[in-house]
């Protein structure tokens, strides 16, 4: 099995993935690419919350040309997502994108692929081959009878072979499905075959709750095994939600720096203050903080500080008040209505120190 440290390094603009590099967070714009103002605005918002690579759909030449202006106005690497039309790939590369997502077997013959590959070589641009269980070739499905890891791998092999025959190895691979087990098993199998870096994700994962569960189940298992160089958590929502989720998942595996952690008890009959709005506000606040600090919001003073003994700082609820604690030790009482404000202040103070 190939773990992350042994994957081939691939440069995407100013970011290198693979090898010993950290797992990188990606998302995709849901604006029209040709609406450059809206797309640039969305990418800047995504950059602000921690998106490291952004992908835009290229449906026609107008989109491909729009990428130039987008690229000039953003700081993170830009990926052009292309299906079927090699001319869109060529135009996107001319516009200055940092990576192409395209399946070489689907762009109409080797001559077309060759033109794209030559351009990518000239500009040092990698190609991501993205296999999706929903769009496997008929011949592959006929052979295996259904979607399975072997079918996904065979589909990828055809595309990889085309690029390798042209001596092109700046490849990233992804295998996506809405099925958690199929996703995991395919990536596991792929990691025994190729050393190309892999982009992880569960596709069509649904709304936030469904996606967080499916994506954490699949990506968690893979990340734990050292597989995955970039990730996306696809959610039917504003892509900002995806970035926040990616950061929290990577934090859970200690694969990201400068991201806070939040501990919260589930509440029970001992909770004597209005804790839930407080923990929600603190979560929102922590999403704006860049530091490795562990914050706890706990329901009662009897068990709170003890249960959250690993936290750097936190609140344990009393009767309509909270007790501020640091490293498990109670420091002072704060009236309920002042908890959010005081805790934020204390967190910022602790970070400064
Ligand atoms: Fe219940 Fe207190 Fe534990 Fe929260 S910390 S779950 S309120 S015992």
């Amino acid at each position: 099995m190939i773990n992350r440290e042994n994957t081939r390094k691939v440069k995407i603009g100013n970011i290198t993935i693979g090898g010993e590099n950290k797992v990188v967070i990606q998302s995709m714009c849901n604006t029209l690419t040709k609406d450059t103002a809206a797309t640039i605005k969305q990418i800047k918002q995504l950059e602000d919350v921690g998106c490291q690579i952004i992908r835009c759909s290229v449906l026609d030449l107008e989109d491909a040309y729009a990428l130039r202006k987008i690229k000039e106005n953003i700081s993170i690497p830009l990926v052009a997502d292309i299906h079927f039309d090699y001319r869109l790939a060529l135009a996107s590369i001319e516009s200055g994108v940092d990576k192409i997502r395209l399946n070489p077997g689907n762009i109409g013959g080797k001559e077309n692929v060759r033109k794209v590959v030559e351009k990518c070589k000239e500009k040092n641009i990698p190609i991501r081959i993205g296999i999706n269980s929903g769009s496997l070739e008929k011949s592959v499905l006929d052979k295996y009878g259904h979607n399975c890891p072997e079918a996904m791998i065979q589909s990828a092999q055809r595309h990889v072979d085309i690029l390798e025959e042209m001596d092109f190895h700046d490849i990233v691979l992804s295998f996506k499905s809405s099925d958690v087990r199929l996703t995991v098993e395919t990536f596991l199998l792929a990691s025994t075959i190729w050393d190309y870096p892999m982009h992880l994700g569960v596709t069509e994962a649904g709304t936030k709750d469904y996606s967080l569960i499916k994506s954490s189940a699949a990506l968690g298992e893979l990340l734990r095994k050292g597989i995955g160089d970039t990730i996306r958590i696809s959610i039917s929502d504003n892509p900002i939600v995806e970035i926040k989720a990616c950061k929290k998942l990577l934090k859970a595996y200690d694969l990201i720096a400068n991201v806070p952690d939040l501990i919260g008890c589930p509440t029970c009959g001992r909770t004597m203050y209005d804790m839930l709005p407080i923990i929600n506000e603190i979560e929102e606040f922590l999403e704006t903080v860049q530091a490795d600090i562990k914050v706890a919001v706990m329901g009662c003073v009897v068990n709170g500080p003890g249960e959250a003994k690993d936290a750097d700082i936190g609140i344990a609820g009393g009767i309509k008040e909270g007790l501020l604690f640091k490293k498990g030790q109670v420091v002072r009482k704060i009236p309920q209505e002042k908890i959010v404000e005081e805790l934020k202040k204390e967190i910022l103070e602790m970070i400064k120190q």
Side-chain angles (χ1 to χ4, degrees):
M1 187 175 291
I2 304 292
N3 71 26
R4 200 157 34 79
E5 267 121 60
N6 297 327
T7 53
R8 186 185 281 261
K9 288 185 191 163
V10 169
K11 214 166 169 315
I12 305 163
N14 55 10
I15 286 183
T16 302
I17 64 164
E20 72 287 358
N21 291 290
K22 287 209 172 295
V23 182
V24 167
I25 295 172
Q26 292 198 34
S27 187
M28 190 166 182
C29 285
N30 59 8
T31 52
L32 292 178
T33 303
K34 51 179 74 56
D35 183 349
T36 51
T39 304
I40 291 166
K41 185 174 169 206
Q42 184 168 67
I43 295 174
K44 286 184 168 298
Q45 288 168 345
L46 290 166
E47 280 179 13
D48 284 347
V49 293
C51 181
Q52 294 167 292
I53 296 178
I54 189 69
R55 181 158 51 112
C56 289
S57 312
V58 180
L59 275 61
D60 52 32
L61 280 173
E62 200 186 341
D63 283 343
Y65 297 142
L67 292 171
R68 181 182 296 278
K69 185 164 180 201
I70 293 167
K71 174 72 189 158
E72 283 166 4
N73 284 279
I74 63 171
S75 312
I76 54 176
L78 178 62
V79 183
D81 189 277
I82 291 150
H83 290 278
F84 310 121
D85 191 340
Y86 78 100
R87 290 165 302 185
L88 300 181
L90 295 178
S92 300
I93 296 167
E94 280 305 324
S95 286
V97 297
D98 302 292
K99 186 170 95 176
I100 296 282
R101 189 275 186 190
L102 142 161
N103 288 350
N106 298 346
I107 59 171
K110 287 200 177 165
E111 263 329 287
N112 294 348
V113 180
R114 194 174 301 282
K115 285 177 192 150
V116 174
V117 164
E118 291 305 321
K119 232 342 152 218
C120 285
K121 280 185 182 171
E122 183 192 321
K123 308 266 185 187
N124 284 322
I125 292 175
I127 295 176
R128 169 155 74 87
I129 296 170
I131 303 303
N132 191 315
S133 65
S135 54
L136 289 181
E137 301 90 330
K138 191 177 172 306
S139 57
V140 173
L141 281 176
D142 285 347
K143 177 173 172 190
Y144 291 95
H146 63 288
N147 282 331
C148 59
E150 291 75 15
M152 303 269 277
I153 295 293
Q154 178 155 344
S155 176
Q157 188 72 65
R158 186 170 73 94
H159 300 292
V160 170
D161 286 348
I162 294 170
L163 295 183
E164 287 182 341
E165 273 167 27
M166 295 178 188
D167 199 24
F168 188 86
H169 305 275
D170 238 358
I171 299 171
V172 181
L173 294 175
S174 70
F175 302 90
K176 293 198 184 174
S177 165
S178 57
D179 182 285
V180 170
R181 273 188 300 182
L182 179 57
T183 304
V184 171
E185 285 167 17
T186 307
F187 274 108
L188 288 175
L189 186 55
S191 75
T192 65
I193 300 170
W194 295 291
D195 66 353
Y196 295 121
M198 300 217 214
H199 170 61
L200 306 185
V202 175
T203 195
E204 292 120 27
T207 51
K208 191 172 167 189
D209 281 0
Y210 282 100
S211 176
L212 292 184
I213 289 168
K214 287 183 186 177
S215 301
S216 302
L219 274 54
E221 191 172 344
L222 293 165
L223 290 168
R224 182 85 178 84
K225 291 185 160 76
I227 295 168
D229 301 277
T230 67
I231 62 167
R232 179 182 181 200
I233 295 184
S234 305
I235 302 177
S236 311
D237 205 327
N238 184 319
I240 285 176
V241 181
E242 297 190 353
I243 305 302
K244 290 177 178 177
C246 285
K247 286 168 79 175
K248 285 170 186 156
L249 181 62
L250 292 180
K251 181 71 188 177
Y253 287 93
D254 209 11
L255 289 170
I256 192 168
N258 290 325
V259 172
D261 197 7
L262 178 60
I263 296 169
C265 81
T267 70
C268 72
R270 290 191 186 86
T271 315
M272 297 291 161
Y273 79 127
D274 196 10
M275 177 185 137
L276 300 182
I278 293 172
I279 193 167
N280 288 333
E281 257 195 79
I282 293 299
E283 178 183 359
E284 246 177 67
F285 168 70
L286 289 177
E287 286 170 352
T288 68
V289 166
Q290 289 184 7
D292 285 310
I293 187 169
K294 200 177 266 192
V295 178
V297 178
M298 305 298 286
C300 74
V301 72
V302 182
N303 296 336
E307 285 181 10
K309 59 181 178 302
D310 287 343
D312 296 303
I313 187 166
I315 284 288
I319 301 173
K320 297 206 183 304
E321 65 183 9
L323 296 175
L324 176 74
F325 62 91
K326 293 181 183 172
K327 311 281 181 193
Q329 300 300 312
V330 174
V331 179
R332 67 170 195 273
K333 288 182 184 175
I334 304 173
Q336 180 171 291
E337 59 284 0
K338 293 224 161 205
I339 289 175
V340 170
E341 181 192 331
E342 295 272 314
L343 185 54
K344 284 181 186 176
K345 240 191 272 168
E346 291 282 349
I347 291 167
L348 292 176
E349 191 57 37
M350 188 174 263
I351 291 168
K352 224 194 278 170
Q353 283 166 13

